[in-house]
Amino acid sequence: ANLALCDARQLSLSLQTEDDLGSALRHYDRKRRHHLGFYQFASRWLTYFFQSNAGALGWVRNLVFPLFMRIGPLRRQGIRTMAGLKRGIVRRSLPPPRA
């Protein structure tokens, strides 16, 4: 849901700043590509831990993920990921939206 909100915001901005629909969609694509690429990458690799029939992967997930959430920097990265703010493993996250 958070990514859909980011998509909607960027599409709105692209439509406001570009002269025609084709240009606006290309602008939108350029702006969203890296952000969405990270989530595609993460989903591709984490799917095995959540939707596999291999019991060992579930065991590893159940052991490792709770440990990560106890380590401050990893917890913050996890929260940014779930909030839809991450743009890559080492790229800076998007700033949180202002109230």
Side-chain angles (χ1 to χ4, degrees):
N2 290 334
L3 292 177
L5 292 172
C6 291
D7 287 340
R9 179 178 182 271
Q10 183 57 58
L11 182 57
S12 174
L13 292 171
S14 295
L15 289 168
Q16 291 172 24
T17 59
E18 298 297 320
D19 295 332
D20 60 84
L21 180 59
S23 296
L25 292 176
R26 285 188 295 278
H27 182 261
Y28 162 82
D29 181 62
R30 281 191 311 273
K31 291 292 191 175
R32 296 295 292 140
R33 184 176 306 246
H34 290 293
H35 187 210
L36 295 176
F38 168 73
Y39 284 93
Q40 290 168 344
F41 171 81
S43 293
R44 184 178 307 118
W45 291 103
L46 291 176
T47 294
Y48 300 110
F49 292 94
F50 289 92
Q51 297 179 1
S52 172
N53 290 330
L57 292 178
W59 181 83
V60 170
R61 176 200 65 219
N62 292 342
L63 177 69
V64 171
F65 277 65
L67 290 175
F68 278 4
M69 291 301 108
R70 292 174 186 230
I71 300 170
L74 295 176
R75 178 180 172 80
R76 285 189 290 281
Q77 293 302 313
I79 290 169
R80 287 184 184 118
T81 300
M82 294 305 295
L85 300 176
K86 291 286 290 173
R87 290 191 297 175
I89 294 172
V90 293
R91 288 186 75 180
R92 292 177 65 106
S93 296
L94 294 172
R98 297 181 201 180

